[in-house]
Structures are given as C-alpha cells and as structure tokens.
Amino acid sequence: MLNQTEVSEFLLLGLTNIQGLQHFFFTSFLLLYSATLLGNSIIVIVVISEPRLHTPMYFFLGNLSCLDMFLSTVTVPKMLTGFLFGHQPISFGGCLAQLHFFHFLGSTEAVLLAGMAYDRYVAICNPLHYALVMSPRTCLLLAVASWSTGFVHAVMHSVMTSQLSFCGHNQIQHFFCDIKPLLNLACSRTRLNMTLLNVVTTSVVLGPFTLVVPSYLYIISFLFYKVQSQEGRWKLFSTCASHLTVVVLFYIPVLLNYTPPSSGNPTQMDVQVTLIYSAVTPALNPLIYTLRNQEVKTALKKTLRRKVFPGGK
C-alpha cells in the first residue's frame, strides 16, 4: 500500500529574507538567466546553420547548450519569482517535477561531458582514426546514452520520493525542490532514498568524472612527449581548453554537493554550491566557448552577416 501524502504544498524559502538583497539578487540572476538563454541559443543556431561546425565536437556542444538552457529554466524562474513576491508555494506534483527535471538534466550533462572528453582525447591522441572512431553513429549513441542515463537516474529519485509521507512542516530551506531538503521533511523512513542518493547519484557523478580525468591525463602526456614544439602543443591544447574549463566549473561544485555521504540535512553551502552549477555556469559556458574558440567566433560572425545582410556574401 502506498504512503499517503498529507502535505499537498511546500514553501520554498529561497536564498534570503533581506529585502535589499532580494532586489539585488533578482537583478543579478535575471541578467544571468537572460545571458544563459541568449548565449546558448546563439550557439545552437550557429552550430546548426554553419556546415563547418557539423563535427562531433560541435554536435556535443549543441547538446550541452540545450542542457544548460533547460537546467536553468527548471530552477531560476521560480527563484526570481521568490525574490519579487517572497516565499514561493509549490504543489507536491510541481515539486516532484522540478526534482525530476533537475536531476535528469544535471545527470545528462555529467555523462555528456565525459563523452566530450573522449572526443577530445581521440581528436588529439589518435587523429588519423578520428573520423572512424567518432562517426555520426558513435556520436549519436553517446548522446542518447547521456540523455537516457540522466532520465533513468531522475525517474528513480522521483518515484522513490513520491512514495514518502510528508506530515510535518512544509518549509523547504532551498530555492528549489532538491532531494536533500525533501528527505529532511519526510515523516516516513528514508533509508532507501538515502542509499539511492549516496550510492547511485554518487556513481552517476563519479563515474563520468573518472573517465574525464584519464582522458585529459593522456592528452597532457601526449602533448609533452609526442609534440615537440611549444606552438604545436598550445595549438592542440587550445582545442580542448574550453571543454576543460567547463568541466572544472561543473564537476567541482557537483562533486562537493553529491559525493560526500549525505545525512539528508541540507546546509547553506549545499544551496550556494547548487546555485553555481544551476544558474552561474550555464551563463558562462557560451562565453567560454566563444572567447576561446576561433571557429565558433568565425561562424558566429558569418551567421550575423547573413542575418544582417541576407543578400551579401
């Protein structure tokens, strides 16, 4: 028999109760969210419209940009509403949906970044076989595997959380419905949920990370031992510098949040760390790829010229 949910609505307490800070945070995160949507949309449009970017690296980049837009949209609009109108109510169903899509998209990004690291490893360390290894079929399979892993992982959490009973207070010390604060409010036993969080979620984060690290160790060792000129080393490394920056910005906060065994009690640090990879990093990713990548900058200029001067060459 399923546990009955007695609490039908939760109250998201957000980041702060200080009115002056709420106005500052509203403006700041509205700008970040706008930058996320605009920057990542531009990258998707450029990757689709520019034939020179129809390569494995930019296929994955297009997927990453879509994930960043969706991930921010899951949490930021509700958080912005909270800054304007105070504590935000959210239904139990809405809470589960937010939890599901956040972990679906976040887990997908963790796995996708590992696939992108493998792509850079093959491109730099095994360039003669790059076209064969990273065929369109392989790229599609890696993308499907990333999205599928994220979906299955999120379904496990949302189904397990839906079985819990909530009968006490309904205030969530967070800006969205994450697993830890929900488990902290549950009246029923959460041992299985905690096991899922500590074992499965940690594996979903650490698994891809353990593939990313050796990929870049191989790349760095290849550059030092196989490439003689300093210019040649930098030219090759520059092709993966943007991805490495994104990996650091994503994995460090995620590892801080989910790899230590959790007691289920969210801390202020959990909230701040989650804010980094759900709101800040998605806004920075397009900037990182356009500033460090000459191909993207060239393609962006060509796309803009076609839009502004449709009849020009």
Side-chain angles (χ1 to χ4, degrees), residues 183-206:
L183 295 184
N184 195 40
L185 295 180
C187 299
S188 50
R189 296 183 65 182
T190 59
R191 178 182 241 175
L192 192 55
N193 300 75
M194 289 306 307
T195 302
L196 183 64
L197 181 64
N198 288 329
V199 177
V200 180
T201 302
T202 299
S203 300
V204 169
V205 175
L206 277 180

PDB file of all heavy atoms in Angstrom, residues 183-206:
ATOM      1  N   LEU A 183      13.921  15.042   1.754  1.00  0.00           N
ATOM      2  CA  LEU A 183      14.118  13.920   2.667  1.00  0.00           C
ATOM      3  C   LEU A 183      14.121  14.389   4.116  1.00  0.00           C
ATOM      4  O   LEU A 183      13.676  13.676   5.018  1.00  0.00           O
ATOM      5  CB  LEU A 183      15.432  13.192   2.354  1.00  0.00           C
ATOM      6  CG  LEU A 183      15.522  12.490   0.987  1.00  0.00           C
ATOM      7  CD1 LEU A 183      16.844  11.736   0.868  1.00  0.00           C
ATOM      8  CD2 LEU A 183      14.363  11.542   0.773  1.00  0.00           C
ATOM      9  N   ASN A 184      14.618  15.599   4.328  1.00  0.00           N
ATOM     10  CA  ASN A 184      14.653  16.156   5.671  1.00  0.00           C
ATOM     11  C   ASN A 184      13.250  16.433   6.219  1.00  0.00           C
ATOM     12  O   ASN A 184      13.036  16.455   7.437  1.00  0.00           O
ATOM     13  CB  ASN A 184      15.473  17.456   5.661  1.00  0.00           C
ATOM     14  CG  ASN A 184      15.873  17.910   7.045  1.00  0.00           C
ATOM     15  OD1 ASN A 184      16.225  17.098   7.889  1.00  0.00           O
ATOM     16  ND2 ASN A 184      15.818  19.200   7.278  1.00  0.00           N
ATOM     17  N   LEU A 185      12.265  16.623   5.329  1.00  0.00           N
ATOM     18  CA  LEU A 185      10.885  16.913   5.743  1.00  0.00           C
ATOM     19  C   LEU A 185      10.020  15.661   5.864  1.00  0.00           C
ATOM     20  O   LEU A 185       8.925  15.723   6.412  1.00  0.00           O
ATOM     21  CB  LEU A 185      10.218  17.862   4.731  1.00  0.00           C
ATOM     22  CG  LEU A 185      10.788  19.274   4.600  1.00  0.00           C
ATOM     23  CD1 LEU A 185       9.995  20.057   3.557  1.00  0.00           C
ATOM     24  CD2 LEU A 185      10.767  20.000   5.933  1.00  0.00           C
ATOM     25  N   ALA A 186      10.499  14.538   5.342  1.00  0.00           N
ATOM     26  CA  ALA A 186       9.669  13.334   5.278  1.00  0.00           C
ATOM     27  C   ALA A 186       9.394  12.754   6.664  1.00  0.00           C
ATOM     28  O   ALA A 186      10.272  12.759   7.536  1.00  0.00           O
ATOM     29  CB  ALA A 186      10.348  12.280   4.401  1.00  0.00           C
ATOM     30  N   CYS A 187       8.157  12.266   6.852  1.00  0.00           N
ATOM     31  CA  CYS A 187       7.776  11.600   8.106  1.00  0.00           C
ATOM     32  C   CYS A 187       8.105  10.115   8.057  1.00  0.00           C
ATOM     33  O   CYS A 187       8.335   9.487   9.085  1.00  0.00           O
ATOM     34  CB  CYS A 187       6.279  11.768   8.359  1.00  0.00           C
ATOM     35  SG  CYS A 187       5.778  13.479   8.521  1.00  0.00           S
ATOM     36  N   SER A 188       8.073   9.532   6.872  1.00  0.00           N
ATOM     37  CA  SER A 188       8.326   8.099   6.730  1.00  0.00           C
ATOM     38  C   SER A 188       9.824   7.822   6.647  1.00  0.00           C
ATOM     39  O   SER A 188      10.642   8.746   6.587  1.00  0.00           O
ATOM     40  CB  SER A 188       7.621   7.571   5.478  1.00  0.00           C
ATOM     41  OG  SER A 188       7.923   8.377   4.361  1.00  0.00           O
ATOM     42  N   ARG A 189      10.184   6.561   6.625  1.00  0.00           N
ATOM     43  CA  ARG A 189      11.590   6.159   6.598  1.00  0.00           C
ATOM     44  C   ARG A 189      12.215   6.519   5.252  1.00  0.00           C
ATOM     45  O   ARG A 189      11.620   6.320   4.192  1.00  0.00           O
ATOM     46  CB  ARG A 189      11.721   4.659   6.842  1.00  0.00           C
ATOM     47  CG  ARG A 189      11.252   4.230   8.232  1.00  0.00           C
ATOM     48  CD  ARG A 189      11.458   2.743   8.451  1.00  0.00           C
ATOM     49  NE  ARG A 189      12.875   2.399   8.449  1.00  0.00           N
ATOM     50  CZ  ARG A 189      13.340   1.158   8.590  1.00  0.00           C
ATOM     51  NH1 ARG A 189      12.484   0.142   8.761  1.00  0.00           N
ATOM     52  NH2 ARG A 189      14.626   0.923   8.593  1.00  0.00           N
ATOM     53  N   THR A 190      13.432   7.031   5.307  1.00  0.00           N
ATOM     54  CA  THR A 190      14.104   7.488   4.082  1.00  0.00           C
ATOM     55  C   THR A 190      15.417   6.739   3.827  1.00  0.00           C
ATOM     56  O   THR A 190      16.240   7.194   3.043  1.00  0.00           O
ATOM     57  CB  THR A 190      14.407   8.999   4.185  1.00  0.00           C
ATOM     58  OG1 THR A 190      15.252   9.234   5.329  1.00  0.00           O
ATOM     59  CG2 THR A 190      13.128   9.809   4.317  1.00  0.00           C
ATOM     60  N   ARG A 191      15.571   5.613   4.488  1.00  0.00           N
ATOM     61  CA  ARG A 191      16.851   4.890   4.377  1.00  0.00           C
ATOM     62  C   ARG A 191      17.151   4.500   2.931  1.00  0.00           C
ATOM     63  O   ARG A 191      18.278   4.683   2.450  1.00  0.00           O
ATOM     64  CB  ARG A 191      16.801   3.643   5.262  1.00  0.00           C
ATOM     65  CG  ARG A 191      18.072   2.798   5.182  1.00  0.00           C
ATOM     66  CD  ARG A 191      17.947   1.546   6.029  1.00  0.00           C
ATOM     67  NE  ARG A 191      18.962   1.533   7.060  1.00  0.00           N
ATOM     68  CZ  ARG A 191      19.022   0.606   8.012  1.00  0.00           C
ATOM     69  NH1 ARG A 191      18.109  -0.321   8.073  1.00  0.00           N
ATOM     70  NH2 ARG A 191      19.974   0.649   8.896  1.00  0.00           N
ATOM     71  N   LEU A 192      16.145   3.964   2.224  1.00  0.00           N
ATOM     72  CA  LEU A 192      16.349   3.552   0.833  1.00  0.00           C
ATOM     73  C   LEU A 192      16.650   4.762  -0.046  1.00  0.00           C
ATOM     74  O   LEU A 192      17.499   4.704  -0.952  1.00  0.00           O
ATOM     75  CB  LEU A 192      15.117   2.799   0.317  1.00  0.00           C
ATOM     76  CG  LEU A 192      15.267   2.057  -1.007  1.00  0.00           C
ATOM     77  CD1 LEU A 192      16.434   1.084  -0.962  1.00  0.00           C
ATOM     78  CD2 LEU A 192      13.972   1.315  -1.346  1.00  0.00           C
ATOM     79  N   ASN A 193      15.960   5.859   0.216  1.00  0.00           N
ATOM     80  CA  ASN A 193      16.206   7.087  -0.552  1.00  0.00           C
ATOM     81  C   ASN A 193      17.625   7.593  -0.328  1.00  0.00           C
ATOM     82  O   ASN A 193      18.300   8.044  -1.272  1.00  0.00           O
ATOM     83  CB  ASN A 193      15.216   8.181  -0.133  1.00  0.00           C
ATOM     84  CG  ASN A 193      13.779   7.783  -0.361  1.00  0.00           C
ATOM     85  OD1 ASN A 193      13.236   6.975   0.396  1.00  0.00           O
ATOM     86  ND2 ASN A 193      13.152   8.333  -1.390  1.00  0.00           N
ATOM     87  N   MET A 194      18.096   7.516   0.936  1.00  0.00           N
ATOM     88  CA  MET A 194      19.449   7.963   1.242  1.00  0.00           C
ATOM     89  C   MET A 194      20.485   7.066   0.576  1.00  0.00           C
ATOM     90  O   MET A 194      21.532   7.534   0.105  1.00  0.00           O
ATOM     91  CB  MET A 194      19.668   7.978   2.758  1.00  0.00           C
ATOM     92  CG  MET A 194      18.913   9.068   3.506  1.00  0.00           C
ATOM     93  SD  MET A 194      19.220  10.723   2.863  1.00  0.00           S
ATOM     94  CE  MET A 194      20.999  10.774   2.895  1.00  0.00           C
ATOM     95  N   THR A 195      20.196   5.767   0.536  1.00  0.00           N
ATOM     96  CA  THR A 195      21.100   4.833  -0.152  1.00  0.00           C
ATOM     97  C   THR A 195      21.182   5.171  -1.631  1.00  0.00           C
ATOM     98  O   THR A 195      22.270   5.177  -2.224  1.00  0.00           O
ATOM     99  CB  THR A 195      20.607   3.383   0.032  1.00  0.00           C
ATOM    100  OG1 THR A 195      20.541   3.079   1.421  1.00  0.00           O
ATOM    101  CG2 THR A 195      21.542   2.404  -0.667  1.00  0.00           C
ATOM    102  N   LEU A 196      20.026   5.459  -2.218  1.00  0.00           N
ATOM    103  CA  LEU A 196      19.987   5.844  -3.630  1.00  0.00           C
ATOM    104  C   LEU A 196      20.793   7.116  -3.872  1.00  0.00           C
ATOM    105  O   LEU A 196      21.567   7.206  -4.837  1.00  0.00           O
ATOM    106  CB  LEU A 196      18.528   6.046  -4.057  1.00  0.00           C
ATOM    107  CG  LEU A 196      18.270   6.394  -5.527  1.00  0.00           C
ATOM    108  CD1 LEU A 196      18.705   5.252  -6.426  1.00  0.00           C
ATOM    109  CD2 LEU A 196      16.794   6.700  -5.751  1.00  0.00           C
ATOM    110  N   LEU A 197      20.645   8.083  -2.973  1.00  0.00           N
ATOM    111  CA  LEU A 197      21.363   9.350  -3.110  1.00  0.00           C
ATOM    112  C   LEU A 197      22.866   9.156  -2.953  1.00  0.00           C
ATOM    113  O   LEU A 197      23.659   9.683  -3.745  1.00  0.00           O
ATOM    114  CB  LEU A 197      20.841  10.344  -2.069  1.00  0.00           C
ATOM    115  CG  LEU A 197      21.462  11.740  -2.071  1.00  0.00           C
ATOM    116  CD1 LEU A 197      21.164  12.472  -3.373  1.00  0.00           C
ATOM    117  CD2 LEU A 197      20.956  12.550  -0.878  1.00  0.00           C
ATOM    118  N   ASN A 198      23.259   8.380  -1.929  1.00  0.00           N
ATOM    119  CA  ASN A 198      24.682   8.227  -1.618  1.00  0.00           C
ATOM    120  C   ASN A 198      25.407   7.276  -2.555  1.00  0.00           C
ATOM    121  O   ASN A 198      26.611   7.433  -2.791  1.00  0.00           O
ATOM    122  CB  ASN A 198      24.854   7.752  -0.178  1.00  0.00           C
ATOM    123  CG  ASN A 198      24.526   8.839   0.833  1.00  0.00           C
ATOM    124  OD1 ASN A 198      24.720  10.019   0.569  1.00  0.00           O
ATOM    125  ND2 ASN A 198      24.000   8.445   1.983  1.00  0.00           N
ATOM    126  N   VAL A 199      24.698   6.271  -3.075  1.00  0.00           N
ATOM    127  CA  VAL A 199      25.355   5.269  -3.924  1.00  0.00           C
ATOM    128  C   VAL A 199      25.146   5.565  -5.406  1.00  0.00           C
ATOM    129  O   VAL A 199      26.112   5.741  -6.157  1.00  0.00           O
ATOM    130  CB  VAL A 199      24.845   3.849  -3.587  1.00  0.00           C
ATOM    131  CG1 VAL A 199      25.474   2.826  -4.530  1.00  0.00           C
ATOM    132  CG2 VAL A 199      25.160   3.498  -2.144  1.00  0.00           C
ATOM    133  N   VAL A 200      23.881   5.641  -5.827  1.00  0.00           N
ATOM    134  CA  VAL A 200      23.601   5.790  -7.262  1.00  0.00           C
ATOM    135  C   VAL A 200      23.982   7.171  -7.765  1.00  0.00           C
ATOM    136  O   VAL A 200      24.676   7.310  -8.776  1.00  0.00           O
ATOM    137  CB  VAL A 200      22.109   5.489  -7.563  1.00  0.00           C
ATOM    138  CG1 VAL A 200      21.828   5.654  -9.047  1.00  0.00           C
ATOM    139  CG2 VAL A 200      21.746   4.085  -7.107  1.00  0.00           C
ATOM    140  N   THR A 201      23.542   8.208  -7.060  1.00  0.00           N
ATOM    141  CA  THR A 201      23.853   9.571  -7.516  1.00  0.00           C
ATOM    142  C   THR A 201      25.350   9.826  -7.490  1.00  0.00           C
ATOM    143  O   THR A 201      25.902  10.433  -8.419  1.00  0.00           O
ATOM    144  CB  THR A 201      23.125  10.612  -6.638  1.00  0.00           C
ATOM    145  OG1 THR A 201      21.721  10.365  -6.701  1.00  0.00           O
ATOM    146  CG2 THR A 201      23.409  12.024  -7.114  1.00  0.00           C
ATOM    147  N   THR A 202      26.024   9.343  -6.445  1.00  0.00           N
ATOM    148  CA  THR A 202      27.477   9.488  -6.385  1.00  0.00           C
ATOM    149  C   THR A 202      28.141   8.780  -7.554  1.00  0.00           C
ATOM    150  O   THR A 202      29.097   9.299  -8.158  1.00  0.00           O
ATOM    151  CB  THR A 202      28.008   8.934  -5.049  1.00  0.00           C
ATOM    152  OG1 THR A 202      27.427   9.672  -3.974  1.00  0.00           O
ATOM    153  CG2 THR A 202      29.523   9.041  -4.971  1.00  0.00           C
ATOM    154  N   SER A 203      27.624   7.610  -7.923  1.00  0.00           N
ATOM    155  CA  SER A 203      28.180   6.864  -9.058  1.00  0.00           C
ATOM    156  C   SER A 203      27.960   7.599 -10.367  1.00  0.00           C
ATOM    157  O   SER A 203      28.840   7.615 -11.244  1.00  0.00           O
ATOM    158  CB  SER A 203      27.543   5.472  -9.140  1.00  0.00           C
ATOM    159  OG  SER A 203      27.788   4.739  -7.962  1.00  0.00           O
ATOM    160  N   VAL A 204      26.779   8.209 -10.522  1.00  0.00           N
ATOM    161  CA  VAL A 204      26.469   8.946 -11.748  1.00  0.00           C
ATOM    162  C   VAL A 204      27.401  10.145 -11.895  1.00  0.00           C
ATOM    163  O   VAL A 204      27.760  10.532 -13.006  1.00  0.00           O
ATOM    164  CB  VAL A 204      24.988   9.401 -11.752  1.00  0.00           C
ATOM    165  CG1 VAL A 204      24.709  10.394 -12.868  1.00  0.00           C
ATOM    166  CG2 VAL A 204      24.073   8.202 -11.895  1.00  0.00           C
ATOM    167  N   VAL A 205      27.817  10.722 -10.772  1.00  0.00           N
ATOM    168  CA  VAL A 205      28.738  11.860 -10.816  1.00  0.00           C
ATOM    169  C   VAL A 205      30.190  11.392 -10.956  1.00  0.00           C
ATOM    170  O   VAL A 205      30.935  11.862 -11.827  1.00  0.00           O
ATOM    171  CB  VAL A 205      28.588  12.727  -9.544  1.00  0.00           C
ATOM    172  CG1 VAL A 205      29.639  13.836  -9.536  1.00  0.00           C
ATOM    173  CG2 VAL A 205      27.194  13.328  -9.464  1.00  0.00           C
ATOM    174  N   LEU A 206      30.584  10.443 -10.101  1.00  0.00           N
ATOM    175  CA  LEU A 206      31.975   9.998 -10.092  1.00  0.00           C
ATOM    176  C   LEU A 206      32.344   9.158 -11.315  1.00  0.00           C
ATOM    177  O   LEU A 206      33.474   9.213 -11.786  1.00  0.00           O
ATOM    178  CB  LEU A 206      32.258   9.191  -8.821  1.00  0.00           C
ATOM    179  CG  LEU A 206      32.585   9.983  -7.560  1.00  0.00           C
ATOM    180  CD1 LEU A 206      32.835   9.039  -6.391  1.00  0.00           C
ATOM    181  CD2 LEU A 206      33.792  10.889  -7.767  1.00  0.00           C
TER     182      LEU A 206
END
